[in-house]
Amino acid sequence: MLLDLGDRTERRRRLDRAWQAFVQRGELEQIRPEIARSWTRTRHFHGVDPAMRQAPLLGEEELVRRREQSDLLEIATPVLDDFSTRLREQGHVLAFFDGGGCMLAMGGDPAVIDRVTEANFCPGASWREDTAGTNGPGTALAERGAIEVFASEHYVQAFQDWSCIAAPIVVPGASEPLGVVDITGPWDSREPQALLGASAIASIVEERVRAIQTVRAETIRYALRCARAAG
């Protein structure tokens, strides 16, 4: 169910208090279990600074290398382009990350893209949980499941102006998620229906991957039959 602005504001205030209690005293109060686990990992295992201003950039050469090596990006691009176009007038962006938490592509509302880029929410940045704390794509990878990270649920204060829903891309035969789809917008904006569809977008990409795997498997089986017949 969508929350109106009043409900979202009250939720933000409650989370502000919970975040301060954890950062200042290490106390977990009224926090969802998945966020509590992430905050604990972020503080006690990763040592992320809640006062950092930007996620780390991996560099242009690394971005180019990851894009060239990502078969998944090529498969996902038509789907991402379609949904990014739908978000252009809705105050949200759609981002795609590889399995290592590096953003490879982003589209959507140009004004929002300009704003989120200030925090290095942009292609080439690492949003792994161990580098950027609790956040949509990083925590979706860590939890291996779809997740919302709303406003002050972000461990780093500079990222708390945003709300995001992220879903990992998981396909048969892969032990880890191959990538992540994330939809991000201002915490106080009314969520469009598309924001609730991050898991659906990930599922579409997964289905495209499975279809390609099936075609490749059939091609290999056909080649083997031909080889046996010839021999």
Side-chain angles (χ1 to χ4, degrees):
M1 183 177 67
L2 297 178
L3 300 178
D4 63 27
L5 181 56
D7 292 333
R8 293 171 72 80
T9 300
E10 177 53 36
R11 183 184 179 191
R12 170 70 191 262
R13 289 171 179 163
R14 175 175 58 79
L15 288 170
D16 283 346
R17 293 191 294 270
W19 179 81
Q20 290 172 359
F22 183 73
V23 170
Q24 295 173 3
R25 302 185 299 278
E27 299 173 359
L28 289 168
E29 302 176 353
Q30 297 183 312
I31 293 297
R32 292 181 291 143
E34 56 269 37
I35 299 300
R37 289 193 297 269
S38 179
W39 281 7
T40 300
R41 289 191 299 266
T42 297
R43 175 173 177 157
H44 297 297
F45 294 100
H46 305 319
V48 175
D49 182 1
M52 68 186 289
R53 304 301 303 171
Q54 297 175 315
L57 287 172
L58 300 181
E60 185 63 28
E61 290 185 2
E62 179 66 10
L63 173 60
V64 171
R65 185 187 69 81
R66 287 180 180 243
R67 281 175 166 167
E68 290 176 345
Q69 293 182 349
S70 176
D71 293 335
L72 186 62
L73 176 61
E74 182 178 356
I75 295 169
T77 292
V79 180
L80 300 172
D81 289 347
D82 180 29
F83 281 92
S84 292
T85 299
R86 303 184 195 185
L87 290 174
R88 284 185 62 86
E89 304 300 327
Q90 298 189 43
H92 289 79
V93 296
L94 172 63
F96 177 80
F97 299 77
D98 66 17
C102 175
M103 188 192 293
L104 300 184
M106 180 168 63
D109 190 310
V112 176
I113 289 175
D114 287 343
R115 289 180 58 197
V116 295
T117 298
E118 295 175 1
N120 282 351
F121 194 78
C122 60
S126 173
W127 283 84
R128 290 169 53 93
E129 199 178 71
D130 59 0
T131 61
T134 305
N135 69 89
T139 303
L141 283 172
E143 292 283 321
R144 300 186 182 183
I147 190 168
E148 176 193 24
V149 178
F150 173 80
S152 305
E153 289 179 332
H154 288 87
Y155 183 75
V156 174
Q157 190 171 24
F159 307 154
Q160 293 177 357
D161 286 342
W162 305 99
S163 178
C164 53
I165 291 180
I169 298 169
V170 182
V171 297
S175 59
E176 300 287 343
L178 298 184
V180 179
V181 172
D182 174 89
I183 302 178
T184 292
W187 72 269
D188 56 353
S189 66
R190 182 175 175 82
E191 298 173 348
Q193 285 301 111
L195 186 57
L196 305 179
S199 293
I201 298 171
S203 294
I204 293 171
V205 176
E206 289 169 355
E207 183 57 38
R208 289 174 64 91
V209 173
R210 284 192 290 269
I212 291 172
Q213 289 176 335
T214 299
V215 170
R216 288 175 178 172
E218 290 294 336
T219 300
I220 292 172
R221 283 193 288 268
Y222 176 74
L224 290 174
R225 288 197 299 269
C226 290
R228 285 194 293 266

